[in-house]
Amino acid sequence: MRSLISAFKIFIFVIISLFAVPFSILWGVFFYQSKYYIIAVRAFHSLTCKIFGIKIKVKGQPETKNVFYICNHISYIDIPVLGSILPTFFVARKGVANWPLLGLLARITGTVFIGQKKHDQEDSRNKILNSLQNGKNLVFFPEGTSTKGKTVYPFKSSSFEIFLNSDTENIILQPCTIQILKIDNNFKFEEKRDFYAWHGDMTFIPHLWNFGKLSSITIQLTFHTPFSSKRFHSRKEIAVAAFNAVKAPFSETSS
């Protein structure tokens, strides 16, 4: 029965995604630089959450203008979770653009693709800076990978270099923690954790199939106190401050 439910959810999601491609292209031609484009993107993310039974609990107050959200990363499903709540676009490594389905969806929802190699750093910083200066909010996952969602990996500091620039003084940095709260309406879900968490050498299709079998999942987003980069003297200081904020809820849960 759960396999049939999963098949139905994925079928509906694929149909809506295929419809979204020409719609987003047409919508982007006329509204890409306007608030209406992000409204369409949020609607797509919200619909995705409804299809897969994703419930979201928000703690704290998310900022909504000139924001660079700094989050831990558990799964590709973090994207619709955050995207349904926030007026934002995402930063992803450029290899994601070539992924089947996910890459296509990332492109049509305005993702900023950056390289991770040393020779890509300047170009990556410029892409992020240009997006922020054009009024886009961005979500960034500085762990550089996804995890099981039981802790937070140390943040890579290289992408925080741009916040030592006077051009970004008006940008708000807001840490956000993503946590799995319940699966199938149960707080005891360890055996099903990997139905949401996507890490290591997991492959997309089998993972999505298992995720679709869930009746519901509740994700908690904790938005921490925003801060300005003005009080920091190095990118590592910014990375450590953001890391400590994002990791705090995990420490509270384990204590």
Side-chain angles (χ1 to χ4, degrees):
M1 183 63 180
R2 291 214 170 195
S3 293
L4 287 175
I5 292 172
S6 180
F8 178 73
K9 289 179 180 178
I10 293 172
F11 174 75
I12 296 298
F13 174 67
V14 169
I15 294 300
I16 291 173
S17 298
L18 292 175
F19 171 77
V21 174
F23 176 80
S24 67
I25 293 172
L26 183 62
W27 193 260
V29 169
F30 296 101
F31 298 112
Y32 187 71
Q33 294 297 334
S34 77
K35 64 180 181 180
Y36 299 109
Y37 188 78
I38 192 63
I39 289 173
V41 171
R42 287 184 71 181
F44 175 77
H45 289 314
S46 297
L47 187 55
T48 299
C49 289
K50 287 185 182 299
I51 290 170
F52 287 99
I54 304 171
K55 302 174 184 178
I56 303 165
K57 180 180 179 181
V58 176
K59 292 181 67 176
Q61 182 63 47
E63 298 291 329
T64 57
K65 291 184 178 180
N66 301 322
V67 196
F68 190 74
Y69 303 101
I70 305 165
C71 309
N72 63 304
H73 196 20
I74 305 176
S75 172
Y76 57 88
I77 308 162
D78 296 340
I79 307 303
V81 168
L82 289 163
S84 66
I85 297 296
L86 301 171
T88 189
F89 298 94
F90 293 83
V91 178
R93 63 181 188 271
K94 62 183 180 182
V96 172
N98 299 318
W99 288 2
L101 185 59
L102 289 182
L104 177 61
L105 294 178
R107 290 196 298 273
I108 68 174
T109 52
T111 299
V112 178
F113 296 106
I114 62 173
Q116 291 184 303
K117 296 182 179 179
K118 202 165 185 177
H119 65 266
D120 292 322
Q121 287 183 0
E122 184 176 354
D123 180 62
S124 297
R125 286 195 293 266
N126 287 337
K127 285 182 177 179
I128 293 174
L129 181 60
N130 289 338
S131 294
L132 292 170
Q133 288 179 332
N134 286 329
K136 290 184 178 180
N137 299 327
L138 293 176
V139 168
F140 181 58
F141 302 111
E143 290 169 293
T145 187
S146 52
T147 73
K148 286 181 70 70
K150 300 174 76 171
T151 187
V152 181
Y153 290 175
F155 288 173
K156 300 180 185 301
S157 65
S158 57
S159 294
F160 294 108
E161 183 80 35
I162 61 170
F163 296 107
L164 301 176
N165 190 318
S166 59
D167 292 335
T168 58
E169 287 183 349
N170 67 322
I171 302 299
I172 298 168
L173 306 180
Q174 186 167 33
C176 172
T177 305
I178 305 171
Q179 292 174 288
I180 304 171
L181 196 62
K182 291 189 292 185
I183 293 180
D184 286 340
N185 208 32
N186 195 330
F187 287 102
K188 296 181 179 180
F189 55 79
E190 198 57 38
E191 72 282 359
K192 294 182 179 179
R193 175 179 291 277
D194 284 356
F195 281 34
Y196 181 92
W198 191 56
H199 56 91
D201 59 356
M202 289 182 175
T203 52
F204 173 60
I205 298 298
H207 183 271
L208 182 63
W209 180 259
N210 284 329
F211 178 66
K213 292 178 181 179
L214 300 178
S215 61
S216 67
I217 182 166
T218 303
I219 303 297
Q220 179 167 287
L221 302 178
T222 303
F223 291 92
H224 304 281
T225 303
F227 58 85
S228 167
S229 61
K230 293 179 184 178
R231 62 187 176 95
F232 297 99
H233 300 96
S234 72
R235 69 190 193 190
K236 289 185 178 179
E237 289 182 6
I238 300 174
V240 169
F243 171 78
N244 289 338
V246 172
K247 188 179 180 181
F250 288 98
S251 300
E252 293 168 5
T253 302
S254 60
S255 62

